[in-house]
PDB file of all heavy atoms in Angstrom:
ATOM      1  N   HIS A 219      -6.730   5.868  -5.014  1.00 95.00           N
ATOM      2  CA  HIS A 219      -6.755   7.376  -5.062  1.00 95.00           C
ATOM      3  C   HIS A 219      -8.108   7.922  -4.837  1.00 95.00           C
ATOM      4  O   HIS A 219      -8.326   8.946  -4.075  1.00 95.00           O
ATOM      5  CB  HIS A 219      -6.075   7.828  -6.325  1.00 95.00           C
ATOM      6  CG  HIS A 219      -5.931   9.276  -6.623  1.00 95.00           C
ATOM      7  ND1 HIS A 219      -6.898  10.092  -7.084  1.00 95.00           N
ATOM      8  CD2 HIS A 219      -4.961  10.020  -6.144  1.00 95.00           C
ATOM      9  CE1 HIS A 219      -6.544  11.270  -7.075  1.00 95.00           C
ATOM     10  NE2 HIS A 219      -5.357  11.283  -6.480  1.00 95.00           N
ATOM     11  N   ARG A 220      -9.057   7.269  -5.532  1.00 96.00           N
ATOM     12  CA  ARG A 220     -10.501   7.672  -5.421  1.00 96.00           C
ATOM     13  C   ARG A 220     -11.017   7.595  -4.010  1.00 96.00           C
ATOM     14  O   ARG A 220     -11.631   8.427  -3.403  1.00 96.00           O
ATOM     15  CB  ARG A 220     -11.357   6.963  -6.338  1.00 96.00           C
ATOM     16  CG  ARG A 220     -12.768   7.461  -6.416  1.00 96.00           C
ATOM     17  CD  ARG A 220     -13.661   6.608  -7.328  1.00 96.00           C
ATOM     18  NE  ARG A 220     -13.094   6.389  -8.622  1.00 96.00           N
ATOM     19  CZ  ARG A 220     -12.758   5.075  -9.213  1.00 96.00           C
ATOM     20  NH1 ARG A 220     -13.218   4.107  -8.411  1.00 96.00           N
ATOM     21  NH2 ARG A 220     -12.381   4.900 -10.289  1.00 96.00           N
ATOM     22  N   GLN A 221     -10.737   6.523  -3.381  1.00 95.00           N
ATOM     23  CA  GLN A 221     -11.126   6.294  -1.897  1.00 95.00           C
ATOM     24  C   GLN A 221     -10.544   7.259  -1.078  1.00 95.00           C
ATOM     25  O   GLN A 221     -11.144   7.777  -0.089  1.00 95.00           O
ATOM     26  CB  GLN A 221     -10.947   4.795  -1.450  1.00 95.00           C
ATOM     27  CG  GLN A 221     -11.832   3.838  -2.135  1.00 95.00           C
ATOM     28  CD  GLN A 221     -11.663   2.408  -1.838  1.00 95.00           C
ATOM     29  OE1 GLN A 221     -10.674   2.156  -1.115  1.00 95.00           O
ATOM     30  NE2 GLN A 221     -12.441   1.551  -2.288  1.00 95.00           N
ATOM     31  N   VAL A 222      -9.234   7.516  -1.218  1.00 94.00           N
ATOM     32  CA  VAL A 222      -8.608   8.460  -0.303  1.00 94.00           C
ATOM     33  C   VAL A 222      -9.102   9.903  -0.511  1.00 94.00           C
ATOM     34  O   VAL A 222      -9.318  10.654   0.361  1.00 94.00           O
ATOM     35  CB  VAL A 222      -6.996   8.466  -0.719  1.00 94.00           C
ATOM     36  CG1 VAL A 222      -6.313   9.624  -0.111  1.00 94.00           C
ATOM     37  CG2 VAL A 222      -6.325   7.244  -0.136  1.00 94.00           C
ATOM     38  N   ALA A 223      -9.477  10.213  -1.747  1.00 93.00           N
ATOM     39  CA  ALA A 223     -10.074  11.464  -1.999  1.00 93.00           C
ATOM     40  C   ALA A 223     -11.466  11.604  -1.299  1.00 93.00           C
ATOM     41  O   ALA A 223     -11.780  12.665  -0.669  1.00 93.00           O
ATOM     42  CB  ALA A 223     -10.235  11.748  -3.560  1.00 93.00           C
ATOM     43  N   GLU A 224     -12.332  10.500  -1.404  1.00 94.00           N
ATOM     44  CA  GLU A 224     -13.543  10.526  -0.697  1.00 94.00           C
ATOM     45  C   GLU A 224     -13.384  10.620   0.792  1.00 94.00           C
ATOM     46  O   GLU A 224     -14.143  11.408   1.424  1.00 94.00           O
ATOM     47  CB  GLU A 224     -14.367   9.275  -1.020  1.00 94.00           C
ATOM     48  CG  GLU A 224     -14.817   9.243  -2.539  1.00 94.00           C
ATOM     49  CD  GLU A 224     -15.467   7.840  -2.892  1.00 94.00           C
ATOM     50  OE1 GLU A 224     -15.516   7.022  -1.989  1.00 94.00           O
ATOM     51  OE2 GLU A 224     -15.823   7.833  -4.038  1.00 94.00           O
ATOM     52  N   ILE A 225     -12.461   9.903   1.319  1.00 93.00           N
ATOM     53  CA  ILE A 225     -12.254   9.984   2.799  1.00 93.00           C
ATOM     54  C   ILE A 225     -11.740  11.335   3.235  1.00 93.00           C
ATOM     55  O   ILE A 225     -12.119  11.954   4.181  1.00 93.00           O
ATOM     56  CB  ILE A 225     -11.227   8.897   3.313  1.00 93.00           C
ATOM     57  CG1 ILE A 225     -11.813   7.551   3.195  1.00 93.00           C
ATOM     58  CG2 ILE A 225     -10.613   9.147   4.676  1.00 93.00           C
ATOM     59  CD1 ILE A 225     -10.902   6.338   3.374  1.00 93.00           C
ATOM     60  N   SER A 226     -10.853  11.958   2.382  1.00 92.00           N
ATOM     61  CA  SER A 226     -10.367  13.336   2.675  1.00 92.00           C
ATOM     62  C   SER A 226     -11.547  14.392   2.664  1.00 92.00           C
ATOM     63  O   SER A 226     -11.691  15.120   3.522  1.00 92.00           O
ATOM     64  CB  SER A 226      -9.391  13.643   1.651  1.00 92.00           C
ATOM     65  OG  SER A 226      -8.976  14.992   1.813  1.00 92.00           O
ATOM     66  N   LEU A 227     -12.501  14.150   1.706  1.00 93.00           N
ATOM     67  CA  LEU A 227     -13.655  14.987   1.594  1.00 93.00           C
ATOM     68  C   LEU A 227     -14.544  14.930   2.818  1.00 93.00           C
ATOM     69  O   LEU A 227     -14.989  15.847   3.487  1.00 93.00           O
ATOM     70  CB  LEU A 227     -14.377  14.822   0.329  1.00 93.00           C
ATOM     71  CG  LEU A 227     -15.758  15.704   0.216  1.00 93.00           C
ATOM     72  CD1 LEU A 227     -15.404  17.140   0.052  1.00 93.00           C
ATOM     73  CD2 LEU A 227     -16.482  15.062  -1.084  1.00 93.00           C
ATOM     74  N   THR A 228     -14.772  13.622   3.187  1.00 93.00           N
ATOM     75  CA  THR A 228     -15.522  13.375   4.480  1.00 93.00           C
ATOM     76  C   THR A 228     -14.914  13.918   5.671  1.00 93.00           C
ATOM     77  O   THR A 228     -15.613  14.607   6.509  1.00 93.00           O
ATOM     78  CB  THR A 228     -15.815  11.898   4.556  1.00 93.00           C
ATOM     79  OG1 THR A 228     -16.402  11.334   3.410  1.00 93.00           O
ATOM     80  CG2 THR A 228     -16.628  11.444   5.741  1.00 93.00           C
ATOM     81  N   LEU A 229     -13.629  13.743   5.792  1.00 92.00           N
ATOM     82  CA  LEU A 229     -12.897  14.260   7.040  1.00 92.00           C
ATOM     83  C   LEU A 229     -13.034  15.879   7.061  1.00 92.00           C
ATOM     84  O   LEU A 229     -12.992  16.362   7.984  1.00 92.00           O
ATOM     85  CB  LEU A 229     -11.438  13.851   7.113  1.00 92.00           C
ATOM     86  CG  LEU A 229     -11.242  12.313   7.403  1.00 92.00           C
ATOM     87  CD1 LEU A 229      -9.790  11.947   7.301  1.00 92.00           C
ATOM     88  CD2 LEU A 229     -11.823  12.110   8.803  1.00 92.00           C
ATOM     89  N   ARG A 230     -12.911  16.506   5.820  1.00 93.00           N
ATOM     90  CA  ARG A 230     -12.985  17.914   5.841  1.00 93.00           C
ATOM     91  C   ARG A 230     -14.398  18.329   6.281  1.00 93.00           C
ATOM     92  O   ARG A 230     -14.546  19.312   7.015  1.00 93.00           O
ATOM     93  CB  ARG A 230     -12.762  18.426   4.410  1.00 93.00           C
ATOM     94  CG  ARG A 230     -11.234  18.696   4.240  1.00 93.00           C
ATOM     95  CD  ARG A 230     -10.964  19.446   2.943  1.00 93.00           C
ATOM     96  NE  ARG A 230     -10.115  18.658   2.032  1.00 93.00           N
ATOM     97  CZ  ARG A 230     -10.407  18.296   0.864  1.00 93.00           C
ATOM     98  NH1 ARG A 230     -11.534  18.733   0.275  1.00 93.00           N
ATOM     99  NH2 ARG A 230      -9.593  17.462   0.108  1.00 93.00           N
ATOM    100  N   ARG A 231     -15.421  17.585   5.797  1.00 94.00           N
ATOM    101  CA  ARG A 231     -16.783  17.894   6.257  1.00 94.00           C
ATOM    102  C   ARG A 231     -16.945  17.838   7.793  1.00 94.00           C
ATOM    103  O   ARG A 231     -17.511  18.704   8.572  1.00 94.00           O
ATOM    104  CB  ARG A 231     -17.809  17.007   5.648  1.00 94.00           C
ATOM    105  CG  ARG A 231     -18.050  17.380   4.211  1.00 94.00           C
ATOM    106  CD  ARG A 231     -18.931  16.480   3.541  1.00 94.00           C
ATOM    107  NE  ARG A 231     -19.083  16.811   2.130  1.00 94.00           N
ATOM    108  CZ  ARG A 231     -19.712  16.029   1.248  1.00 94.00           C
ATOM    109  NH1 ARG A 231     -20.265  14.822   1.609  1.00 94.00           N
ATOM    110  NH2 ARG A 231     -19.925  16.323  -0.034  1.00 94.00           N
ATOM    111  N   VAL A 232     -16.429  16.726   8.338  1.00 92.00           N
ATOM    112  CA  VAL A 232     -16.436  16.424   9.811  1.00 92.00           C
ATOM    113  C   VAL A 232     -15.733  17.472  10.540  1.00 92.00           C
ATOM    114  O   VAL A 232     -16.130  18.040  11.604  1.00 92.00           O
ATOM    115  CB  VAL A 232     -15.962  15.071  10.073  1.00 92.00           C
ATOM    116  CG1 VAL A 232     -15.755  14.878  11.683  1.00 92.00           C
ATOM    117  CG2 VAL A 232     -16.913  13.925   9.572  1.00 92.00           C
ATOM    118  N   GLN A 233     -14.665  17.903  10.051  1.00 92.00           N
ATOM    119  CA  GLN A 233     -13.808  18.948  10.583  1.00 92.00           C
ATOM    120  C   GLN A 233     -14.508  20.277  10.641  1.00 92.00           C
ATOM    121  O   GLN A 233     -14.467  20.979  11.676  1.00 92.00           O
ATOM    122  CB  GLN A 233     -12.398  19.094   9.891  1.00 92.00           C
ATOM    123  CG  GLN A 233     -11.438  19.990  10.588  1.00 92.00           C
ATOM    124  CD  GLN A 233     -10.195  20.053   9.758  1.00 92.00           C
ATOM    125  OE1 GLN A 233     -10.027  19.603   8.584  1.00 92.00           O
ATOM    126  NE2 GLN A 233      -9.151  20.527  10.339  1.00 92.00           N
ATOM    127  N   GLY A 234     -15.199  20.472   9.531  1.00 91.00           N
ATOM    128  CA  GLY A 234     -16.008  21.777   9.523  1.00 91.00           C
ATOM    129  C   GLY A 234     -17.231  21.726  10.528  1.00 91.00           C
ATOM    130  O   GLY A 234     -17.386  22.796  11.151  1.00 91.00           O
ATOM    131  N   ILE A 235     -17.846  20.665  10.641  1.00 92.00           N
ATOM    132  CA  ILE A 235     -18.975  20.584  11.619  1.00 92.00           C
ATOM    133  C   ILE A 235     -18.379  20.683  12.987  1.00 92.00           C
ATOM    134  O   ILE A 235     -18.992  21.434  13.769  1.00 92.00           O
ATOM    135  CB  ILE A 235     -19.693  19.134  11.407  1.00 92.00           C
ATOM    136  CG1 ILE A 235     -20.448  19.182  10.151  1.00 92.00           C
ATOM    137  CG2 ILE A 235     -20.591  18.979  12.677  1.00 92.00           C
ATOM    138  CD1 ILE A 235     -21.050  17.902   9.764  1.00 92.00           C
ATOM    139  N   VAL A 236     -17.266  20.060  13.277  1.00 90.00           N
ATOM    140  CA  VAL A 236     -16.637  20.197  14.714  1.00 90.00           C
ATOM    141  C   VAL A 236     -16.233  21.597  14.928  1.00 90.00           C
ATOM    142  O   VAL A 236     -16.456  22.105  16.043  1.00 90.00           O
ATOM    143  CB  VAL A 236     -15.424  19.130  14.797  1.00 90.00           C
ATOM    144  CG1 VAL A 236     -14.678  19.446  16.065  1.00 90.00           C
ATOM    145  CG2 VAL A 236     -15.961  17.707  14.843  1.00 90.00           C
ATOM    146  N   GLY A 237     -15.676  22.256  13.912  1.00 89.00           N
ATOM    147  CA  GLY A 237     -15.326  23.664  13.994  1.00 89.00           C
ATOM    148  C   GLY A 237     -16.526  24.525  14.327  1.00 89.00           C
ATOM    149  O   GLY A 237     -16.403  25.534  15.050  1.00 89.00           O
ATOM    150  N   LEU A 238     -17.536  24.237  13.617  1.00 91.00           N
ATOM    151  CA  LEU A 238     -18.823  25.029  13.849  1.00 91.00           C
ATOM    152  C   LEU A 238     -19.281  24.770  15.346  1.00 91.00           C
ATOM    153  O   LEU A 238     -19.630  25.738  16.003  1.00 91.00           O
ATOM    154  CB  LEU A 238     -19.935  24.525  12.906  1.00 91.00           C
ATOM    155  CG  LEU A 238     -21.351  25.090  13.089  1.00 91.00           C
ATOM    156  CD1 LEU A 238     -21.273  26.531  12.622  1.00 91.00           C
ATOM    157  CD2 LEU A 238     -22.325  24.305  12.222  1.00 91.00           C
ATOM    158  N   PHE A 239     -19.373  23.550  15.781  1.00 87.00           N
ATOM    159  CA  PHE A 239     -19.746  23.287  17.180  1.00 87.00           C
ATOM    160  C   PHE A 239     -18.829  24.063  18.207  1.00 87.00           C
ATOM    161  O   PHE A 239     -19.283  24.539  19.185  1.00 87.00           O
ATOM    162  CB  PHE A 239     -19.869  21.776  17.555  1.00 87.00           C
ATOM    163  CG  PHE A 239     -21.110  21.208  16.996  1.00 87.00           C
ATOM    164  CD1 PHE A 239     -21.045  20.004  16.217  1.00 87.00           C
ATOM    165  CD2 PHE A 239     -22.314  21.690  17.336  1.00 87.00           C
ATOM    166  CE1 PHE A 239     -22.190  19.446  15.728  1.00 87.00           C
ATOM    167  CE2 PHE A 239     -23.514  21.150  16.827  1.00 87.00           C
ATOM    168  CZ  PHE A 239     -23.399  20.013  16.079  1.00 87.00           C
ATOM    169  N   LEU A 240     -17.486  23.948  17.914  1.00 86.00           N
ATOM    170  CA  LEU A 240     -16.529  24.619  18.821  1.00 86.00           C
ATOM    171  C   LEU A 240     -16.779  26.107  18.796  1.00 86.00           C
ATOM    172  O   LEU A 240     -16.706  26.747  19.782  1.00 86.00           O
ATOM    173  CB  LEU A 240     -15.149  24.214  18.395  1.00 86.00           C
ATOM    174  CG  LEU A 240     -14.697  22.807  18.688  1.00 86.00           C
ATOM    175  CD1 LEU A 240     -13.318  22.619  18.213  1.00 86.00           C
ATOM    176  CD2 LEU A 240     -14.723  22.563  20.209  1.00 86.00           C
TER     177      LEU A 240
END
Side-chain angles (χ1 to χ4, degrees):
H219 185 269
R220 187 180 314 121
Q221 288 179 353
V222 166
E224 289 173 2
I225 288 173
S226 176
L227 179 63
T228 304
L229 286 177
R230 274 193 239 124
R231 288 178 181 168
V232 168
Q233 188 177 16
I235 291 170
V236 168
L238 178 71
F239 281 128
L240 288 177

